[in-house]
Every structure is written in C-alpha cells, then in structure tokens.
Amino acid sequence: MFSYKDKKVITIGIVSELTGLSERKIRYYEERGLLFPERTKRGTRVYSFSDVEILLTIADKREEGVQTCEIKKDMMNDKKKSDVRNQMLRGQINAHFNIRK
Amino acid sequence: MFSYKDKKVITIGIVSELTGLSERKIRYYEERGLLFPERTKRGTRVYSFSDVEILLTIADKREEGVQTCEIKKDMMNDKKKSDVRNQMLRGQINAHFNIRK
DNA sequence: CGTGTAAGGAATTCTGACACG
DNA sequence: CGTGTAAGGAATTCTGACACG
C-alpha cells in the first residue's frame, strides 16, 4: 500500500534539479495547495517521487498558461475519478468474495 | 530497468534518520566500499532506497560483530549469485524465444 | 497571479584529523 | 577496526518582503 514512490525523503534542492523548477516555484505551488511535502524535525521540506511527478504535470500545464487554481481543480477531479475507480474495484472484490462465501 | 528504488536522491541527513545510523558510520561504510552514493554538482552525497536497504543490512551484521570487510565479501557473493540468476533467466528467455521462432 | 531577488539566520554537509583501543 | 567529536568553511533551506504587472 505504501511504496518508495510515496515516501517523502527528497529535499527541495534535489527536487529542483529533478524537475527543472526553481525553489520559489515549488514553494509557491505548495502555498496554492497543489502538493503537500512533509517536514523534517528541523523544518526542512521533504518530497516524494509522486510529488516530483505532480510538479512535472504542473510545469506542463503552466507552460500552456493554465492558472494554479485551474490545475488544482483538475487534480481534484482526477482524484475523485480515481476514488470512484477504487470504490468500484472494492465493490467488485466484495462481490467476488460474496459469491465464493 | 531503472526504478525509483535505485534513483539517488536522498541526502545523508535523511538517510541517517531512515536507518538510525550516524552520518559518520554511513560515510565510513562508503570508505570501506560497501555502498556508492552519487554526488550532486556541489559535492553533497545522495543515496537511493537501495542504499538505505544496504545500510540496514550492514547495521544488522555489525550488531552481530561482523567486520566491514566480511560484510563486503558477503555482498560480493550475493551479487555474484544474483548475476548467475540473471544469466540463467536470460538463458531461459532466449530458449523460449528460440522455440517460438 | 506567478515568479525573481536580496536579507539574515539557522541547520546541513564536507574534509582531514585526533582520540580510543 | 570502527566510531565519536571539535573545527572551519561552503552550500542549503527557511521566512517575510519588495518588485513587476
């Protein structure tokens, strides 16, 4: 359920190299609620590979001129869809096991 | 072929938290040739999740009193074995495709 | 709105060395 | 051999703000 992909261990400097985005931009997108890094004890932001992927998506949309609030809506929608998908999957699994019972 | 697990993106402070090992130990095990972090442009060491796993293995062995050179030999052996395994697998795949041809 | 930058402080990382054993 | 520590410097990260637009 929890893989390396979601483990928050990458500091902002590395994320900046990985994405080509300035630290300013990365912090700003967080401020806008587009991603949620964790913090180390001392307050340094740490990101996951998933966060890096999100940032790359944001970078693409920004290049197209899409505003951060629009990007956020899109991401919420994608999340909803995948939530629905997960619910359906769970339903199917339940159905499967009910038949077998 | 190349996954998040092998991507070198974690700085030594985070690795230290993740493994419970002091930075001194982590650098020393590198000096002994047990793992090979990369460096950022500015010279900071960066590690992968694989490196973190290696360090946890080292920590276990060190607790048992095994010396670093012994640990290194073991790791070389394990590597050889998995190399052999990979060769065998490749052989099987080739055989499979030869039959189909 | 989105992003750059200068500012000052606090925490990080690096290397080479001394210490103990 | 394996690890701690103090030392000094260089690079990182953080926040709040001013700037432009």
Side-chain angles (χ1 to χ4, degrees):
Chain A
M1 304 302 120
F2 201 80
S3 72
Y4 293 130
K5 190 173 173 181
D6 296 306
K7 192 99 174 137
K8 311 252 181 183
V9 295
I10 318 177
T11 49
I12 198 165
I14 308 284
V15 172
S16 176
E17 281 184 29
L18 252 32
T19 59
L21 296 170
S22 68
E23 298 183 7
R24 180 70 170 92
K25 287 182 181 180
I26 297 170
R27 292 195 192 100
Y28 179 69
Y29 299 148
E30 173 187 358
E31 192 182 315
R32 306 302 307 174
L34 300 181
L35 72 163
F36 306 91
E38 291 179 357
R39 299 278 182 137
T40 64
K41 299 162 196 167
R42 293 289 164 58
T44 301
R45 272 170 264 250
V46 276
Y47 302 80
S48 66
F49 284 110
S50 295
D51 291 328
V52 170
E53 290 189 3
I54 288 171
L55 285 167
L56 292 172
T57 304
I58 296 172
D60 284 347
K61 301 239 182 151
R62 283 294 305 131
E63 274 190 58
E64 296 170 24
V66 184
Q67 291 193 339
T68 54
C69 60
E70 292 301 325
I71 298 174
K72 184 172 182 178
K73 281 180 205 160
D74 290 353
M75 283 172 37
M76 304 283 268
N77 265 326
D78 292 350
K79 191 184 176 309
K80 259 183 219 155
K81 272 185 207 153
S82 84
D83 284 352
V84 170
R85 224 175 274 135
N86 285 337
Q87 274 179 32
M88 287 178 64
L89 196 61
R90 223 174 291 128
Q92 286 180 353
I93 289 167
N94 287 343
H96 178 72
F97 279 101
N98 285 338
I99 289 167
R100 300 216 136 231
K101 259 182 204 161
Chain B
M1 303 301 120
F2 201 81
S3 71
Y4 294 129
K5 190 174 172 182
D6 296 305
K7 193 99 175 134
K8 310 251 181 185
V9 295
I10 318 177
T11 49
I12 198 165
I14 308 284
V15 173
S16 175
E17 280 185 28
L18 253 32
T19 60
L21 296 169
S22 67
E23 298 183 8
R24 180 69 171 94
K25 286 181 180 180
I26 296 170
R27 292 196 191 100
Y28 180 69
Y29 299 148
E30 174 187 358
E31 192 182 313
R32 306 302 305 173
L34 300 181
L35 73 164
F36 305 92
E38 291 179 357
R39 298 280 182 136
T40 64
K41 300 162 194 167
R42 292 287 165 57
T44 301
R45 272 171 265 250
V46 275
Y47 302 81
S48 65
F49 284 111
S50 295
D51 291 328
V52 171
E53 290 190 2
I54 288 171
L55 284 167
L56 292 173
T57 304
I58 295 171
D60 284 348
K61 302 238 181 151
R62 283 295 304 132
E63 274 191 58
E64 296 170 24
V66 184
Q67 291 194 340
T68 55
C69 61
E70 293 301 325
I71 297 174
K72 184 171 182 178
K73 281 181 204 160
D74 290 352
M75 283 173 37
M76 303 283 268
N77 266 325
D78 292 349
K79 191 184 175 312
K80 260 184 218 154
K81 273 185 206 153
S82 84
D83 285 352
V84 169
R85 225 174 275 134
N86 285 338
Q87 274 180 32
M88 287 176 65
L89 195 61
R90 223 174 291 129
Q92 286 180 354
I93 290 166
N94 287 342
H96 178 71
F97 278 101
N98 286 337
I99 288 164
R100 301 218 136 230
K101 259 183 204 161

